[in-house]
Amino acid sequence: MFSLKRKTMGEATFDIVNNIIMLCICFITLYPIWYVLVNAFNNGSDAMSGGIYWWPRVFSLENFKAVFVTPGIMQAMWITVAKTVVGTAVHVFFTAMVAYALSRKNLIGGKLYILMGTVTLFFSGGLIPTFLLMRDLHLLENFLVYIIPFMFSFFDLIIFMTFFRDIPEGLEEAARIDGANDWSIFLRIVLPVSMPVLATIALFHGVFQWNDYFTGMIYINNPDLQPIQTYLYRVVAQSSSNQMMVAVQGSSVTKSVTSQSIKLATMVVTTLPIVFVYPFLQRYFVKGMMIGSIKG
């Protein structure tokens, strides 16, 4: 006969307190997101009076209509999508390629390269030298300023190297016996078996690319090349009036929206794509985060 072990009074109290703490943490984390959603779907003029915490008091889609008809926002969204997709793909491939080379034990000078890369984790040239470098490379007012400077990350390289070193050497030896060269091994063997780490780094860098506003603010003055996050930054920085004039079908009309409601609606629009992508990468993300956690 099986017997269930009863919890002591202290263990039961600990479980109750632990659950309460976890619920409080979840509430503190999720409520600001819910607050933004509620106010984004509320009438902007009505929201100015305050008192909206849980549900929209006057439901309205005017804020989102104003966002999508505001001049330049769709172009900014397209730039953001393009730089996120292209930048993430280039970053993952290039960093993985360098990491694979440095993970080989027979690489001449490998330890020196790793030492030099480690220094870059603690020291950088600073904003002004970096700006001068971008100018000399003719990357100012250029879409490639979102791609080339972020092709490589030594921090991500360390994660890649840790994973590549755990790949059985027998796979590469068998491929070399069959006549495969380094490129064939990397493209046909290493990358296909590295989906967890590839998805993890892609998620990290994709979120960075999507949320990056600083690059567009410093290196780009052309509104047609600025991403949505830079556009949102300028909206937040420049909007001081309570009403916004929105261009609709060639004419300017005053909508029941405010600068604050436009900010909140834009935040929702710019956040949703990443929220939708995350569940598809979550299973790989969990595996990738376990890299190097167990040895032996």
Side-chain angles (χ1 to χ4, degrees), residues 57-264:
R57 186 165 52 211
V58 180
F59 183 83
S60 174
L61 295 176
E62 293 298 328
N63 297 324
F64 293 93
K65 292 180 181 179
V67 168
F68 285 106
V69 301
T70 302
I73 193 168
M74 294 308 298
Q75 175 66 17
M77 182 68 75
W78 162 247
I79 292 295
T80 302
V81 173
K83 84 184 190 73
T84 300
V85 173
V86 176
T88 301
V90 172
H91 173 85
V92 170
F93 180 80
F94 188 80
T95 305
M97 180 178 62
V98 178
Y100 173 70
L102 290 177
S103 66
R104 301 303 90 189
K105 298 179 180 179
N106 58 351
L107 177 66
I108 300 177
K111 293 183 179 180
L112 176 61
Y113 299 143
I114 294 176
L115 177 62
M116 294 170 59
T118 304
V119 173
T120 65
L121 294 176
F122 303 96
F123 302 97
S124 65
L127 180 58
I128 295 178
T130 303
F131 181 87
L132 297 177
L133 176 63
M134 296 299 108
R135 184 197 63 183
D136 294 340
L137 293 176
H138 304 289
L139 292 179
L140 300 183
E141 308 299 330
N142 192 327
F143 177 79
L144 293 179
V145 75
Y146 300 123
I147 309 300
I148 295 179
F150 305 106
M151 287 178 60
F152 176 78
S153 168
F154 191 79
F155 180 83
D156 293 342
L157 178 139
I158 295 175
I159 300 177
F160 272 121
M161 285 180 57
T162 304
F163 188 90
F164 291 158
R165 286 173 176 172
D166 291 337
I167 297 177
E169 296 181 0
L171 290 176
E172 297 186 21
E173 294 175 358
R176 293 188 186 280
I177 293 175
D178 292 337
N181 55 22
D182 290 330
W183 275 108
S184 299
I185 294 174
F186 175 68
L187 295 176
R188 298 182 181 181
I189 297 178
V190 175
L191 290 185
V193 302
S194 303
M195 285 304 299
V197 68
L198 291 175
T200 301
I201 299 303
L203 180 61
F204 284 162
H205 192 73
V207 171
F208 163 76
Q209 282 281 9
W210 185 270
N211 292 330
D212 178 37
Y213 75 95
F214 190 74
T215 302
M217 184 179 66
I218 298 297
Y219 304 116
I220 300 294
N221 290 322
N222 184 357
D224 293 336
L225 290 177
Q226 289 182 342
I228 188 66
Q229 300 299 345
T230 303
Y231 178 89
L232 175 60
Y233 170 82
R234 297 189 183 283
V235 168
V236 173
Q238 297 176 3
S239 59
S240 57
S241 62
N242 291 332
Q243 296 290 333
M244 296 188 65
M245 301 301 294
V246 183
V248 180
Q249 296 181 353
S251 62
S252 296
V253 296
T254 303
K255 293 287 184 180
S256 58
V257 299
T258 64
S259 59
Q260 181 66 17
S261 65
I262 290 293
K263 297 175 190 177
L264 298 176

